[in-house]
Amino acid sequence: MEQQLFYIKTFGCQMNERDSEIMAQLLGEAGYVESAEMDTADLVIINTCSIRAKAEQKVMSLLGHLRGNLKKKPKLKTVVAGCVAQQEGSEILRRMPFVSLIIGTQNIYNIVPALQCAAEGGQKVVTSLVDVYDIPRFLPSMDLPPSAVPFRKFITIMQGCNNFCTYCVVPYTRGREVSRLAVDIVDEARVLVEGGVKEITLLGQNVNSYGNTNSVAPGRGKGEYGFSELLREVAALQERGLKRLRFTTSNPKDLTDELIDCFGSLDILCPQLHLPVQAGSDAVLKRMNRRYTISSYLGLVDKLHKVLPSIALTTDVIVGFPGETEEDFEGTMKLLNDVRYHGSFSFKYSSRPGTRAADFSDAVPEDVKSERLHRFQKRQDEISLERNKEYIGRELEIMLEPADDGGLLMRGRTGSNLIVHLKEGVKAVPGDLCMVKITYAGQHSLQGKTV
Ligand code: 5AD
Ligand code: SF4
């Protein structure tokens, strides 16, 4: 068979990025070759996101572009994977009949046989979603030339979500929460570290409930082996060369004291935590089904600051949730001013089909949402700048990142996840650590010089 070139375009979150890597490895093992550009590929996979309406529109316009390419390349195969595939299924095929395969979030490990089956005239929509299943054991391939070894990687530790926040489509697109076996995760981490990876981020929709819905370790039932224990096991790979460990995302309602203590006791755990709050009003949180209050959230923030005063907190916020009053929104602004987040991601509420909030009345007008979002982001930018200025004059350790400047590395990242630009490059390889003194702070990055 002629060599088949594939290209994967990924939208959305880090879970999707990791899923794309898994599909790429499986395709590589089946003899496909990854192409650097979409337009030269014989097989294009779009790994999609449906968290907000805008993300879904991007997928449809890319499919339109690919339909155009079909004229030049009639044998082009197009695959839609991920959350939009899961949610829309055969509806995509109705609108875009040229699509070769639609593959759901729980089916990505079957990408190779599913492609073959569809090519032979079989099923084109593979989107089965079940409640109970085992995530396949899957080890990353580190059979790479040294220059191609990534210095940081994501590891998915669980899939799905059981929380049903009323605005969120994830429980419908990724199904029920299932945790991977601890041994599979630790083995994956070990393979990465022995292959040269220096930083690992553990991923899940809600890592704090790891191990709560299925047993993840021999002899331990549900809830008897939790995230903190997993984190400590992975952190022990420090002995084999792991330098930094992060995780995301944490639901405040499940953040345990034991996990908070890890920030004080595990020195390779980076001093940053993404703790999505979504809204600063108890009434809105209740309608969102978040199951915590602003006062309990602030209690967590206090504990975190006690354990690790330098911790950098970031958050997600939704403005204009149905029924959000000006007073509710002022609660969100107050929270921002109280916590003084280092950074945040903020979004206008977007109604998602199938979610409970899609049926709520009292939609907030679009112009009010836009104005609130603007107000929030403007204040966040001011706070981020103030926070960043606190670093000026301090000596920090950064992990150097790849840059295109003739062997010299010109930027790195702090443990708190801020970019530091260097005036003079350092001769090093990506993933090396170096100490810098911070000389200047901007809104989104710092500048420094090596010490
Ligand atoms: N509308 C707007 N933002 C949303 N998010 C999730 N669902 C929606 C929605 N329907 C945001 C939340 C979440 C982040 C990943 O996306 O803030 O934490
Ligand atoms: Fe969505 Fe809530 Fe689950 Fe996060 S915790 S994925 S916001 S339902």
Side-chain angles (χ1 to χ4, degrees), residues 236-248:
L237 292 170
Q238 185 173 20
E239 276 177 20
R240 302 191 185 218
L242 182 64
K243 292 177 182 166
R244 284 183 169 181
L245 183 56
R246 305 181 193 272
F247 61 84
T248 199

Side-chain angles (χ1 to χ4, degrees), residues 2-7 33-44 63 65-78 98-100:
E2 232 178 284
Q3 206 177 51
Q4 293 278 304
L5 289 178
F6 75 89
Y7 182 88
V33 176
E34 192 154 9
S35 153
E37 290 158 51
M38 181 157 66
D39 289 343
T40 53
D42 308 293
L43 167 66
V44 175
L63 280 172
H65 169 78
L66 289 168
R67 181 170 45 198
N69 285 6
L70 224 58
K71 291 192 197 97
K72 287 173 273 171
K73 214 172 190 173
K75 282 196 183 150
L76 175 71
K77 282 194 191 135
T78 307
F98 68 93
V99 170
S100 316

Side-chain angles (χ1 to χ4, degrees), residues 51 160-171 177 205-206 249 251 253 276 278 288-290 318:
I51 196 91
C161 184
N162 284 353
N163 289 316
F164 291 92
C165 300
T166 53
Y167 52 81
C168 185
V169 80
V170 167
E177 187 176 302
Q205 297 302 338
N206 177 14
T249 292
N251 190 315
K253 80 179 170 57
Q278 311 299 357
M288 288 178 162
N289 190 32
R290 291 292 287 178
I318 297 175

Side-chain angles (χ1 to χ4, degrees), residues 222-235:
K222 282 188 225 182
E224 289 176 7
Y225 179 109
F227 183 60
S228 320
E229 196 165 345
L230 177 72
L231 200 61
R232 284 196 294 268
E233 274 203 60
V234 178

Side-chain angles (χ1 to χ4, degrees), residues 253-270:
K253 80 179 170 57
D254 299 310
L255 184 66
T256 60
D257 287 349
E258 206 186 341
L259 182 56
I260 293 176
D261 287 340
C262 287
F263 283 103
S265 57
L266 298 175
D267 57 335
I268 67 166
L269 184 61
C270 290

Side-chain angles (χ1 to χ4, degrees), residues 12-47:
C13 64
Q14 294 147 329
M15 304 280 282
N16 266 15
E17 274 177 45
R18 179 65 196 133
D19 285 350
S20 292
E21 287 178 355
I22 291 170
M23 288 190 281
Q25 183 177 330
L26 292 167
L27 289 166
E29 285 165 3
Y32 290 82
V33 176
E34 192 154 9
S35 153
E37 290 158 51
M38 181 157 66
D39 289 343
T40 53
D42 308 293
L43 167 66
V44 175
I45 299 177
I46 313 175
N47 198 4

Side-chain angles (χ1 to χ4, degrees), residues 318-354:
I318 297 175
V319 303
F321 187 72
E324 183 187 73
T325 62
E326 175 60 24
E327 196 187 341
D328 290 326
F329 176 69
E330 274 160 19
T332 304
M333 292 299 289
K334 177 169 180 345
L335 182 81
L336 170 61
N337 286 312
D338 287 349
V339 180
R340 299 182 64 242
Y341 292 103
H342 282 70
S344 61
F345 298 98
S346 46
F347 312 99
K348 285 192 262 185
Y349 169 71
S350 163
S351 172
R352 305 313 292 134

